[in-house]
Amino acid sequence: MKVMKFGGTSVGSPAMIKHVARLISNEEPKLVVLSAMSGTTNALAAIAAELSRGNISGASDDIGTLESKYLETAGQLYFSEGSAEKARRHIRDSFSLLKGVAERPFSSVEEKIVLAQGELIVTMLMHLYLAETGVRSTLLPALEFMRTDKNGEPDMRFIRRNARKAVNRYPHNRIFITQGYICRNAAGEVDNLQRGGSDYTASLLGAALDASEIQIWTDIDGLHNNDPRVVSSTVPVRRLTFDEASKLAHFGAKILHPTCILPAKLRNIPVRLLDTMDPSAPGTLISDSADAGRVKAVAAKDGVVHVKIRSMHKIPGYRLLDKVFHSFARTRTSVDLVAVSDNEISLATDNRECLSEILDGLSPYADIAVEENMTIVCVVGDLKRNDKSFRHKIIDSLRKIPLRMISYGDNCDVSFVLRCADKKKALEALNSSCVLQ
């Protein structure tokens, strides 16, 4: 069985839903994971924000606007009135639920219920369309088998057991449809895997079902070797290792959610990135082996804060290290890069939520300098430690750009912290000097 995930743009209109239906309508066993139609999760998040502020009137207006959009979609999607009416009934039920939420005290529990409706609606629309065209499919509610534990991490034992049970209930069926992104938490409440979580859903289910392949379908032909929004001459990378793809996703490659790789890597299941609008394109294959001896791609992560913590020698160096890392761990504040010298710690993070609290707690022991508006640029490829040529070429290409940090990964990446204002110049320099050669 393959797992096929389609993002919001891939199912963003009646025409696109029909196109995806054609892509999945063959006899090959598959589990299809769908994101909400493009724009829906943003609209639902805006509704939730209105409700949290107590603006019931504004939220009601937005609910009505979104409901009208979906009713219009149902009218355009189906050729039989019977199918269209089934879809409209389901849409009205979902929006009746939203209207009911608007009439009671609003909390994070209600917020998650609101955010779940996009995936629940689009999967029913797809299921009904396939039935109308004579294609048999089974709609599997993700809320029955996608669950997180008390720490908010996927409960893989539960997912594996219950996803297999759900699929095995229909031994003669070939096409299964389910929702990405949404799940239940350890308390049994509706929850989600956060933005980009549909990729994560696909990878978790692929691992749970021992899929032959996990496919992520989006609106671009694979993962490109540089950011096409910044650099004009980019090309798709055809093969990446799990580690290379994970680094690129973490440091800004938008086509792939950072959490998606690990479940597939642990079960050694290939992940293929494909273009919905050009299904014949080869895309990018992510597996445990890839082309050796070359730089593969560059990614950039904006919104980074660079922090330099310099000891005032009021406590031993090892105590300062302990205080720094304990402070970040206690507040669950992730660090992207870190470098340590005799009496100085440099780090980069994009998590600002508790940063002021952390640095205030460290200020009695260290001089702290903070730089905002920074970017991490990560270069990924087969960068063996004993091969100096690639690393020399990479660093030499950035010789005219002031760098705040350099971090060497384990044979597949080297990362730099620099000013956001220098990002375009850095990406173009890397593209011309080593990535496209």
Side-chain angles (χ1 to χ4, degrees):
M1 172 180 284
K2 289 183 179 178
V3 173
M4 305 172 69
K5 176 263 177 178
F6 291 90
T9 55
S10 295
V11 291
S13 68
M16 289 303 298
I17 292 174
K18 293 177 182 180
H19 178 62
V20 169
R22 289 191 291 271
L23 291 178
I24 65 176
S25 294
N26 56 48
E27 288 301 307
E28 184 180 32
K30 61 183 70 67
L31 173 62
V32 179
V33 177
L34 299 182
S35 298
M37 295 178 69
S38 55
T40 298
T41 302
N42 286 340
L44 291 171
I47 290 168
E50 295 281 8
L51 292 174
S52 68
R53 292 194 294 266
N55 184 2
I56 309 303
S57 175
S60 297
D61 290 344
D62 291 344
I63 290 171
T65 299
L66 192 58
E67 181 178 17
S68 297
K69 174 186 173 181
Y70 270 100
L71 291 173
E72 182 181 348
T73 296
Q76 297 172 1
L77 182 57
Y78 304 99
F79 52 80
S80 75
E81 181 56 30
S83 296
E85 184 52 37
K86 287 180 183 178
R88 285 193 286 263
R89 193 180 309 126
H90 181 78
I91 291 166
R92 291 190 184 103
D93 287 346
S94 290
F95 282 92
S96 292
L97 176 63
L98 292 181
K99 293 168 187 174
V101 168
E103 294 173 357
R104 59 181 186 257
F106 195 74
S107 68
S108 61
V109 174
E110 280 73 28
E111 179 186 15
K112 302 298 175 56
I113 293 172
V114 169
L115 295 176
Q117 299 311 305
E119 279 75 16
L120 292 170
I121 293 173
V122 77
T123 47
M124 178 59 76
L125 295 181
M126 178 65 78
H127 176 61
L128 291 174
Y129 180 76
L130 289 171
E132 186 180 55
T133 57
V135 177
R136 184 178 180 180
S137 68
T138 302
L139 184 58
L140 300 179
L143 296 177
E144 292 184 1
F145 47 81
M146 295 302 300
R147 190 174 79 172
T148 55
D149 59 23
K150 63 181 180 180
N151 297 316
E153 296 297 327
D155 186 340
M156 276 308 298
R157 183 176 297 179
F158 180 93
I159 294 169
R160 187 174 181 85
R161 180 175 68 250
N162 288 281
R164 285 172 171 263
K165 186 185 299 182
V167 169
N168 291 339
R169 204 176 294 144
Y170 307 93
H172 303 297
N173 289 13
R174 291 287 182 267
I175 301 176
F176 298 91
I177 311 290
T178 196
Q179 300 86 23
Y181 176 63
I182 67 174
C183 63
R184 291 192 186 275
N185 58 29
E189 301 160 338
V190 175
D191 209 325
N192 60 63
L193 299 172
Q194 302 182 18
R195 287 302 181 98
S198 291
D199 285 1
Y200 203 13
T201 300
S203 188
L204 291 167
L205 288 174
L209 298 171
D210 291 322
S212 60
E213 185 172 280
I214 299 165
Q215 297 181 349
I216 307 295
W217 292 77
T218 182
D219 56 359
I220 189 171
D221 175 21
L223 193 152
H224 279 228
N225 66 343
N226 211 321
D227 190 339
R229 298 165 300 180
V230 179
V231 177
S232 58
S233 55
T234 68
V235 295
V237 182
R238 295 308 179 196
R239 293 173 62 86
L240 289 166
T241 64
F242 289 118
D243 289 339
E244 290 168 347
S246 181
K247 290 288 185 181
L248 290 168
H250 180 77
F251 288 116
K254 298 300 183 184
I255 190 175
L256 192 63
H257 194 265
T259 55
C260 173
I261 297 300
L262 183 58
K265 177 184 176 180
L266 292 176
R267 305 293 295 186
N268 197 20
I269 299 171
V271 177
R272 197 179 296 271
L273 311 180
L274 295 164
D275 185 355
T276 309
M277 297 310 298
D278 188 8
S280 62
T284 299
L285 177 64
I286 302 166
S287 66
D288 63 351
S289 62
D291 301 332
R294 54 186 289 257
V295 173
K296 308 288 181 59
V298 179
K301 185 177 189 178
D302 294 329
V304 170
V305 180
H306 175 238
V307 181
K308 185 176 287 187
I309 303 167
R310 187 177 181 85
S311 172
M312 294 192 298
H313 302 290
K314 292 186 175 182
I315 57 176
Y318 65 86
R319 290 273 318 276
L320 180 62
L321 278 173
D322 178 67
K323 282 185 176 293
V324 170
F325 292 121
H326 177 73
S327 297
F328 279 86
R330 178 178 53 80
T331 56
R332 296 187 176 185
T333 301
S334 59
V335 175
D336 291 308
L337 300 174
V338 63
V340 180
S341 64
D342 177 41
N343 64 344
E344 189 172 286
I345 303 168
S346 291
L347 58 88
T349 178
D350 66 345
N351 189 337
R352 289 175 170 77
E353 186 176 353
C354 300
L355 189 58
S356 294
E357 173 192 340
I358 293 170
L359 299 183
D360 285 345
L362 295 172
S363 60
Y365 312 102
D367 292 319
I368 299 172
V370 176
E371 282 187 287
E372 299 272 359
N373 301 317
M374 306 300 283
T375 291
I376 294 174
V377 172
C378 181
V379 183
V380 163
D382 182 30
L383 309 176
K384 296 292 190 293
R385 291 180 180 176
N386 58 355
D387 187 342
K388 299 178 182 178
S389 60
F390 284 136
R391 297 182 190 276
H392 172 76
K393 188 179 291 186
I394 290 166
I395 293 174
D396 185 61
S397 68
L398 300 177
R399 64 188 180 278
K400 296 182 179 179
I401 297 172
L403 304 176
R404 296 298 186 270
M405 282 180 66
I406 302 176
S407 175
Y408 293 97
D410 185 17
N411 289 339
C412 83
D413 68 288
V414 56
S415 299
F416 308 89
V417 178
L418 46 87
R419 298 176 303 182
C420 282
D422 293 323
K423 180 180 79 168
K424 180 177 174 63
K425 184 178 178 181
L427 294 185
E428 289 176 340
L430 289 165
N431 213 55
S432 62
S433 67
C434 56
V435 177
L436 284 182
Q437 294 185 8

